[in-house]
Amino acid sequence: MSLIVDEHRHYLLDQTRLHAFCDAIRESVKPGNVVVDLGSGTGILGLLACQAGAKRVYSIEESSLIELAREISRANGFGDRIHFLKGLSTRINLPEPADVILADQIGHFGFEAGLFDYFSDARRRFLKPGGITIPQHLTFCLAPVEHQPLWEQIEFWNQPSMGMKFHPARTIAANTGYPVKLKPEQLLGPSEEPLTVDPSISGSQPLHVRCTLPINRAGTLHGLGCWFVAQLSPSVTMSNSPLTQQRIDRRNVFFPLDRPVSVQTGDSLTVTMHILPTQIAVTWTTEIRRADAPDPIRFTHTTLKGMLISREDLQRTHPAFVPSLSPWGAARLTVLTLCDGKRPLVQIEQEVLRRHPDLFPSLSTAATFVAEVITRYSA
Ligand SMILES: C[S@@+](CC[C@H](N)C(=O)[O-])C[C@H]1O[C@@H](n2cnc3c(N)ncnc32)[C@H](O)[C@@H]1O
């Protein structure tokens, strides 16, 4: 079985998530509405929109899963009402404006799956004035966390392995957000909800979060636990919060501190977080105030320091760099040039093999390469 299909089995297994979307769709989609299912996957949200009375659903999916979604729509008797459009939503045009846009590109902390960029584009190009997006708003939630096993994952890099040192990786490990399913007992105090935004309006703008988190039990502070509450419709919310009974089956994000800090009831943690949704970059500054210490302890981390960037790639971003095509770039250019609206595929494959014999040992390897290029760029 395709692992992509299995991933979507997990989405369908999460009944809390599906019931939340179903209730929100029933509340928001009116009979006769035109609906966009953005990132449709198996098409489940579009099917629910049809059930709620949508006249037409435009189901946008960039992956080949769209073929399966087509079959599923027919199997449910909605084949004539759901129109499938393959491609990234930002590159798709719709034949008519929509009343409602649906998506679950929320990720673990609200922004990392692209919702902000995709929804702002979709609102501008797809939505009728006064139209509705589901979700409507997102709230960012933070809490102080004790999590020894995750801490050990970061400290791993300070230990030798086979007598060799690996500590250069520790900076990267300490500047990374970790997906993890937090348990309520791992929280050292109540959560705060410092920011609520409409992703379709906020778009790619930086997000700024600031709050003070009280500590209400003694323990060891290892980092921040982060999750979201999505307002799907006026009366329906959906959340991966470890503190709610109605938690959807989705992990949270753990952002570490540079070192563990012992805390007591009455201490506090002030967090300043800057999020760049398009770059999926987060900077978090923490200031821990302890009753038994005069000065706060401060740490600053950023996922920009957690990125792996080779010096070779970095050199290529310098404005003075003069790029030229590699042999593989030249082969790609050949394919694109041969796509002139006249030549059939078989001729393109043969010509690519003839012009690039060093790259392709056979017609079938050239054909695979051509297929990769044209499925992406040909009309
Ligand atoms: C998290 S899954 C959700 C699938 C489905 N909507 C559901 O609720 O079960 C996201 C799907 O959207 C697709 N996708 C993500 N961003 C997209 C975009 N901007 N345009 C088209 N498809 C997108 C992915 O390929 C994936 O199949």
Short mmCIF file of all heavy atoms in Angstrom, two decimals, residues 4 7-8 11-12 17-18 21 37-45 60-63 65 87-90 103-105 113 118 250, ligand 1:
data_model
loop_
_atom_site.label_atom_id
_atom_site.label_comp_id
_atom_site.label_asym_id
_atom_site.label_seq_id
_atom_site.Cartn_x
_atom_site.Cartn_y
_atom_site.Cartn_z
N ILE A 4 1.48 7.11 1.38
CA ILE A 4 0.67 8.34 1.36
C ILE A 4 -0.78 7.99 1.68
O ILE A 4 -1.45 8.66 2.46
CB ILE A 4 0.77 9.05 -0.01
CG1 ILE A 4 2.20 9.57 -0.19
CG2 ILE A 4 -0.23 10.19 -0.12
CD1 ILE A 4 2.46 10.26 -1.49
N GLU A 7 -1.08 7.40 5.27
CA GLU A 7 -1.11 8.67 6.03
C GLU A 7 -2.55 9.21 6.08
O GLU A 7 -3.02 9.67 7.12
CB GLU A 7 -0.17 9.67 5.34
CG GLU A 7 -0.13 11.03 6.00
CD GLU A 7 0.62 12.04 5.13
OE1 GLU A 7 1.57 11.66 4.42
OE2 GLU A 7 0.23 13.22 5.18
N HIS A 8 -3.24 9.10 4.96
CA HIS A 8 -4.62 9.62 4.92
C HIS A 8 -5.58 8.72 5.69
O HIS A 8 -6.62 9.19 6.14
CB HIS A 8 -5.05 9.85 3.47
CG HIS A 8 -4.40 11.10 2.92
ND1 HIS A 8 -5.02 12.31 2.91
CD2 HIS A 8 -3.15 11.30 2.44
CE1 HIS A 8 -4.19 13.22 2.43
NE2 HIS A 8 -3.06 12.63 2.13
N TYR A 11 -5.67 10.34 8.90
CA TYR A 11 -6.55 11.53 8.93
C TYR A 11 -8.01 11.10 9.08
O TYR A 11 -8.79 11.73 9.77
CB TYR A 11 -6.41 12.35 7.64
CG TYR A 11 -5.04 12.98 7.45
CD1 TYR A 11 -4.40 12.92 6.21
CD2 TYR A 11 -4.40 13.64 8.49
CE1 TYR A 11 -3.15 13.49 6.02
CE2 TYR A 11 -3.15 14.21 8.31
CZ TYR A 11 -2.54 14.13 7.07
OH TYR A 11 -1.29 14.70 6.89
N LEU A 12 -8.36 9.99 8.42
CA LEU A 12 -9.75 9.54 8.46
C LEU A 12 -10.09 8.83 9.77
O LEU A 12 -11.26 8.76 10.16
CB LEU A 12 -10.06 8.62 7.27
CG LEU A 12 -9.96 9.28 5.89
CD1 LEU A 12 -10.19 8.26 4.79
CD2 LEU A 12 -10.96 10.42 5.75
N ARG A 17 -11.49 15.04 14.87
CA ARG A 17 -11.22 16.02 13.81
C ARG A 17 -12.37 16.05 12.79
O ARG A 17 -12.88 17.11 12.43
CB ARG A 17 -9.90 15.64 13.11
CG ARG A 17 -9.53 16.54 11.96
CD ARG A 17 -8.29 16.02 11.24
NE ARG A 17 -8.60 15.10 10.17
CZ ARG A 17 -8.68 15.41 8.87
NH1 ARG A 17 -8.49 16.65 8.48
NH2 ARG A 17 -8.96 14.49 7.97
N LEU A 18 -12.79 14.87 12.36
CA LEU A 18 -13.82 14.81 11.31
C LEU A 18 -15.16 15.36 11.80
O LEU A 18 -15.86 16.06 11.07
CB LEU A 18 -13.98 13.38 10.80
CG LEU A 18 -12.76 12.84 10.04
CD1 LEU A 18 -13.03 11.43 9.53
CD2 LEU A 18 -12.38 13.75 8.88
N PHE A 21 -14.95 19.16 11.79
CA PHE A 21 -15.12 19.71 10.44
C PHE A 21 -16.56 19.54 9.96
O PHE A 21 -17.14 20.45 9.35
CB PHE A 21 -14.13 19.07 9.46
CG PHE A 21 -12.85 19.85 9.33
CD1 PHE A 21 -11.69 19.41 9.93
CD2 PHE A 21 -12.80 21.04 8.62
CE1 PHE A 21 -10.51 20.14 9.83
CE2 PHE A 21 -11.63 21.78 8.51
CZ PHE A 21 -10.48 21.33 9.12
N ASP A 37 -12.34 22.90 -1.70
CA ASP A 37 -11.66 22.00 -0.76
C ASP A 37 -10.18 22.08 -1.11
O ASP A 37 -9.73 21.45 -2.06
CB ASP A 37 -12.22 20.58 -0.93
CG ASP A 37 -11.58 19.59 0.03
OD1 ASP A 37 -10.77 20.01 0.88
OD2 ASP A 37 -11.90 18.39 -0.09
N LEU A 38 -9.45 22.89 -0.35
CA LEU A 38 -8.04 23.20 -0.68
C LEU A 38 -7.12 22.17 -0.02
O LEU A 38 -7.08 22.09 1.20
CB LEU A 38 -7.74 24.62 -0.19
CG LEU A 38 -6.46 25.29 -0.67
CD1 LEU A 38 -6.53 26.79 -0.46
CD2 LEU A 38 -5.23 24.73 -0.03
N GLY A 39 -6.42 21.40 -0.82
CA GLY A 39 -5.59 20.31 -0.28
C GLY A 39 -6.50 19.18 0.13
O GLY A 39 -6.58 18.78 1.28
N SER A 40 -7.21 18.63 -0.89
CA SER A 40 -8.36 17.77 -0.58
C SER A 40 -7.99 16.38 -0.10
O SER A 40 -8.80 15.70 0.52
CB SER A 40 -9.28 17.67 -1.79
OG SER A 40 -8.57 17.17 -2.88
N GLY A 41 -6.76 15.91 -0.38
CA GLY A 41 -6.40 14.55 0.05
C GLY A 41 -7.38 13.54 -0.51
O GLY A 41 -7.59 13.46 -1.73
N THR A 42 -8.02 12.76 0.36
CA THR A 42 -9.01 11.79 -0.09
C THR A 42 -10.32 12.47 -0.51
O THR A 42 -11.22 11.81 -1.02
CB THR A 42 -9.37 10.81 1.05
OG1 THR A 42 -9.77 11.59 2.20
CG2 THR A 42 -8.20 9.92 1.40
N GLY A 43 -10.44 13.76 -0.22
CA GLY A 43 -11.64 14.51 -0.59
C GLY A 43 -12.70 14.55 0.48
O GLY A 43 -13.82 15.02 0.24
N ILE A 44 -12.36 14.13 1.69
CA ILE A 44 -13.35 13.99 2.76
C ILE A 44 -14.10 15.30 3.05
O ILE A 44 -15.32 15.29 3.21
CB ILE A 44 -12.70 13.42 4.06
CG1 ILE A 44 -13.69 13.40 5.22
CG2 ILE A 44 -11.45 14.15 4.46
CD1 ILE A 44 -14.87 12.51 5.05
N LEU A 45 -13.38 16.43 3.08
CA LEU A 45 -14.07 17.68 3.45
C LEU A 45 -15.04 18.10 2.34
O LEU A 45 -16.13 18.62 2.62
CB LEU A 45 -13.05 18.79 3.74
CG LEU A 45 -12.01 18.47 4.84
CD1 LEU A 45 -11.13 19.69 5.14
CD2 LEU A 45 -12.68 17.98 6.12
N ILE A 60 -9.06 20.81 -4.81
CA ILE A 60 -7.70 21.10 -5.32
C ILE A 60 -6.70 20.22 -4.57
O ILE A 60 -6.65 20.25 -3.35
CB ILE A 60 -7.34 22.59 -5.12
CG1 ILE A 60 -8.40 23.49 -5.76
CG2 ILE A 60 -5.96 22.88 -5.67
CD1 ILE A 60 -8.18 24.98 -5.52
N GLU A 61 -5.92 19.47 -5.32
CA GLU A 61 -4.94 18.56 -4.69
C GLU A 61 -3.71 18.51 -5.58
O GLU A 61 -3.81 18.23 -6.77
CB GLU A 61 -5.56 17.17 -4.49
CG GLU A 61 -4.61 16.08 -4.06
CD GLU A 61 -3.85 16.36 -2.75
OE1 GLU A 61 -4.48 16.77 -1.76
OE2 GLU A 61 -2.62 16.18 -2.75
N GLU A 62 -2.55 18.74 -4.99
CA GLU A 62 -1.33 18.78 -5.80
C GLU A 62 -0.76 17.40 -6.09
O GLU A 62 -0.03 17.22 -7.05
CB GLU A 62 -0.27 19.65 -5.15
CG GLU A 62 0.24 19.11 -3.84
CD GLU A 62 1.44 19.88 -3.31
OE1 GLU A 62 2.22 20.39 -4.12
OE2 GLU A 62 1.58 19.95 -2.09
N SER A 63 -1.09 16.41 -5.26
CA SER A 63 -0.47 15.09 -5.45
C SER A 63 -1.37 14.17 -6.28
O SER A 63 -2.55 14.47 -6.53
CB SER A 63 -0.20 14.44 -4.09
OG SER A 63 -1.39 13.90 -3.57
N LEU A 65 -2.76 11.67 -5.42
CA LEU A 65 -3.88 11.19 -4.62
C LEU A 65 -5.22 11.64 -5.23
O LEU A 65 -6.27 11.06 -4.97
CB LEU A 65 -3.73 11.78 -3.21
CG LEU A 65 -4.46 11.14 -2.05
CD1 LEU A 65 -3.98 9.71 -1.88
CD2 LEU A 65 -4.17 11.94 -0.79
N GLY A 87 -2.94 20.33 -8.85
CA GLY A 87 -1.88 21.34 -8.80
C GLY A 87 -1.87 22.05 -7.46
O GLY A 87 -2.75 21.82 -6.62
N LEU A 88 -0.85 22.89 -7.29
CA LEU A 88 -0.76 23.68 -6.06
C LEU A 88 -1.82 24.78 -6.14
O LEU A 88 -1.97 25.42 -7.19
CB LEU A 88 0.64 24.29 -5.97
CG LEU A 88 1.06 24.85 -4.64
CD1 LEU A 88 1.19 23.72 -3.60
CD2 LEU A 88 2.40 25.56 -4.78
N SER A 89 -2.55 24.99 -5.07
CA SER A 89 -3.68 25.94 -5.10
C SER A 89 -3.26 27.32 -5.62
O SER A 89 -4.03 27.98 -6.31
CB SER A 89 -4.29 26.07 -3.71
OG SER A 89 -3.32 26.52 -2.78
N THR A 90 -2.02 27.74 -5.31
CA THR A 90 -1.59 29.08 -5.71
C THR A 90 -1.37 29.20 -7.22
O THR A 90 -1.20 30.29 -7.74
CB THR A 90 -0.28 29.46 -4.98
OG1 THR A 90 0.65 28.40 -5.17
CG2 THR A 90 -0.51 29.66 -3.49
N ALA A 103 -9.98 23.96 4.48
CA ALA A 103 -8.67 23.30 4.45
C ALA A 103 -8.26 22.86 5.85
O ALA A 103 -8.68 23.47 6.84
CB ALA A 103 -7.59 24.23 3.89
N ASP A 104 -7.45 21.82 5.90
CA ASP A 104 -6.82 21.43 7.17
C ASP A 104 -5.31 21.44 6.96
O ASP A 104 -4.64 20.44 7.14
CB ASP A 104 -7.29 20.05 7.64
CG ASP A 104 -6.72 19.71 9.02
OD1 ASP A 104 -5.97 20.54 9.56
OD2 ASP A 104 -7.01 18.61 9.53
N GLN A 105 -4.78 22.61 6.55
CA GLN A 105 -3.33 22.77 6.40
C GLN A 105 -2.79 23.49 7.63
O GLN A 105 -2.04 24.45 7.52
CB GLN A 105 -3.04 23.57 5.13
CG GLN A 105 -3.36 22.83 3.86
CD GLN A 105 -2.66 21.51 3.81
OE1 GLN A 105 -3.29 20.47 3.89
NE2 GLN A 105 -1.35 21.54 3.72
N ALA A 113 2.08 24.17 8.04
CA ALA A 113 1.64 23.39 6.88
C ALA A 113 1.21 24.30 5.73
O ALA A 113 0.69 23.81 4.72
CB ALA A 113 0.52 22.44 7.28
N TYR A 118 -1.52 29.85 1.79
CA TYR A 118 -2.54 29.30 0.89
C TYR A 118 -3.89 30.00 1.07
O TYR A 118 -4.60 30.28 0.11
CB TYR A 118 -2.71 27.79 1.12
CG TYR A 118 -1.46 26.99 0.85
CD1 TYR A 118 -1.16 25.86 1.60
CD2 TYR A 118 -0.56 27.36 -0.15
CE1 TYR A 118 -0.01 25.12 1.37
CE2 TYR A 118 0.59 26.63 -0.38
CZ TYR A 118 0.87 25.52 0.38
OH TYR A 118 2.01 24.80 0.16
N ARG A 250 -3.27 14.78 16.90
CA ARG A 250 -2.16 15.45 16.20
C ARG A 250 -1.15 15.90 17.24
O ARG A 250 -1.53 16.36 18.32
CB ARG A 250 -2.68 16.66 15.42
CG ARG A 250 -1.67 17.23 14.47
CD ARG A 250 -2.28 18.24 13.55
NE ARG A 250 -3.38 17.69 12.77
CZ ARG A 250 -4.16 18.39 11.96
NH1 ARG A 250 -3.95 19.68 11.81
NH2 ARG A 250 -5.13 17.82 11.30
C1 LIG B 1 -3.23 17.39 5.80
S1 LIG B 1 -3.75 16.63 4.31
C2 LIG B 1 -5.50 16.88 4.50
C3 LIG B 1 -6.32 16.15 3.51
C4 LIG B 1 -7.84 16.35 3.64
N1 LIG B 1 -8.23 17.72 3.41
C5 LIG B 1 -8.33 15.91 4.99
O1 LIG B 1 -8.83 16.75 5.72
O2 LIG B 1 -8.22 14.71 5.31
C6 LIG B 1 -3.28 17.84 3.11
C7 LIG B 1 -3.37 17.47 1.64
O3 LIG B 1 -3.32 18.68 0.89
C8 LIG B 1 -2.39 18.61 -0.17
N2 LIG B 1 -1.91 20.01 -0.29
C9 LIG B 1 -1.27 20.71 0.65
N3 LIG B 1 -1.15 22.00 0.29
C10 LIG B 1 -1.74 22.10 -0.93
C11 LIG B 1 -1.96 23.20 -1.82
N4 LIG B 1 -1.56 24.43 -1.53
N5 LIG B 1 -2.57 22.95 -3.00
C12 LIG B 1 -2.99 21.70 -3.30
N6 LIG B 1 -2.84 20.62 -2.49
C13 LIG B 1 -2.21 20.84 -1.31
C14 LIG B 1 -1.39 17.56 0.25
O4 LIG B 1 -0.86 16.91 -0.89
C15 LIG B 1 -2.27 16.62 1.10
O5 LIG B 1 -2.84 15.60 0.30
#
